[in-house]
Amino acid sequence: STHSMRNEILHGFLIHHRKYRERSHIVHLFTEEYGRVDGILRQMPPPQYQPIILQATGKSELKNFAKLEILTRPVFFHGDAFFAGFYLNEVLLRLCPLEEAMPETFQQYHITLAQLQHLVDQEHPNEFLKQILRQFEHVLLEELGYSLNFAIDSQQNEILPQLKYQFQLNDGFIPVAHNSNATLAGESILSMVHYEKGTEFNVEQLQLLAKLYRQMIASLLGDRPLKSRQLWIQNAQTKSQSASQSQPN
């Protein structure tokens, strides 16, 4: 449900925009106060990845935005950081409900953008990138209501290390007899049982979550895959074969 706003001050980030009539843009924001908010901005949109403040007015799903202020110096992402930023914004745009505050995801988005700025300084950039993207997805999926029990299968039986499972959004982990690209090993599912929120994922957890969260997000998106993901894969393929392993999803 949308909120009636009158010169309401919003803090957030631009996650997407498109041209709308002359000198106007439809902009999609991710805000601290109301999560995703859409509206019309009668000026050039701000850069992405930079905190902004503006005022919102209106009763419909499309607010009128005014008094835009950009709060920090510009942020430029290159290479994998560029694709990761595009990925974060696309996931927020596609999965977050309109005008529903998501404080934990907002905070994690802020943290992830700061971490992406340090990607170039990392000794092991691939591992670092996988870690921060899985952390972001973990917080987002939980706040969207998909908090998983990694100890119990769809039949309410204990997950067994030697069995194979397939994950379905509405059922959870379903035991299966045959192996496929989609199956998850009971042993790796159990690696998440004692995970403490906010701590780093270990190698086994990262492998599991890369596969599991990709499946979950794909189910939530339905028939329209992520553009950022396709571009990232194409980019990785055009680099040399050795670099083509760099896609962290």
Side-chain angles (χ1 to χ4, degrees), residues 13 22-23 49-50 52 80 88 102 109 122-123 154 156 159 169 185 189 200 212 229 231 233:
F13 296 86
E22 195 142 351
R23 295 200 198 89
Y49 316 122
Q50 279 181 264
I52 58 172
D80 281 341
L88 296 178
M102 297 190 59
Y109 177 73
Q122 299 301 314
E123 203 180 334
S154 56
Q156 301 303 303
I159 297 255
L169 215 48
I189 296 168
E200 290 216 333
L212 175 61
R229 208 179 142 64
L231 285 173
I233 292 167

Side-chain angles (χ1 to χ4, degrees), residues 87-185:
Y87 169 75
L88 296 178
N89 284 356
E90 194 178 14
V91 167
L92 290 175
L93 181 68
R94 297 278 307 274
L95 297 187
C96 292
L98 200 58
E99 294 185 28
E100 208 171 291
M102 297 190 59
E104 293 201 8
T105 303
F106 185 82
Q107 190 186 356
Q108 195 64 34
Y109 177 73
H110 215 291
I111 291 168
T112 309
L113 291 183
Q115 290 169 320
L116 281 175
Q117 292 179 51
H118 297 293
L119 182 62
V120 287
D121 315 326
Q122 299 301 314
E123 203 180 334
H124 304 290
N126 277 350
E127 282 68 28
F128 180 77
L129 192 52
K130 287 174 185 174
Q131 182 70 241
I132 66 177
L133 290 181
R134 298 302 82 83
Q135 293 281 353
F136 175 79
E137 291 160 352
H138 185 75
V139 172
L140 170 71
L141 288 165
E142 285 213 334
E143 200 161 33
L144 285 171
Y146 298 97
S147 185
L148 303 181
N149 183 341
F150 291 93
I152 301 290
D153 73 10
S154 56
Q155 313 289 306
Q156 301 303 303
N157 296 321
E158 278 180 37
I159 297 255
L160 299 174
Q162 69 277 17
L163 293 189
K164 305 269 180 251
Y165 296 85
Q166 201 152 352
F167 183 80
Q168 291 290 339
L169 215 48
N170 298 323
D171 307 306
F173 299 103
I174 302 165
V176 288
H178 301 290
N179 229 341
S180 76
N181 288 344
T183 49
L184 306 163

Side-chain angles (χ1 to χ4, degrees), residues 200-219:
E200 290 216 333
F201 297 121
N202 64 33
V203 175
E204 194 177 9
Q205 291 168 337
L206 283 174
Q207 279 181 326
L208 168 78
L209 297 179
K211 197 167 175 180
L212 175 61
Y213 287 169
R214 189 162 67 220
Q215 291 174 9
M216 289 175 75
I217 289 168
S219 302

Side-chain angles (χ1 to χ4, degrees), residues 23-34:
R23 295 200 198 89
S24 289
H25 289 79
I26 289 181
V27 297
H28 304 271
L29 307 179
F30 188 50
T31 69
E32 190 173 2
E33 291 81 3
Y34 294 103

Side-chain angles (χ1 to χ4, degrees), residues 49-69:
Y49 316 122
Q50 279 181 264
I52 58 172
I53 293 183
L54 45 65
Q55 290 187 10
T57 300
K59 291 183 176 146
S60 73
E61 288 187 354
L62 218 50
K63 305 291 188 261
N64 282 306
F65 293 140
K67 302 204 172 157
L68 169 73
E69 286 177 59

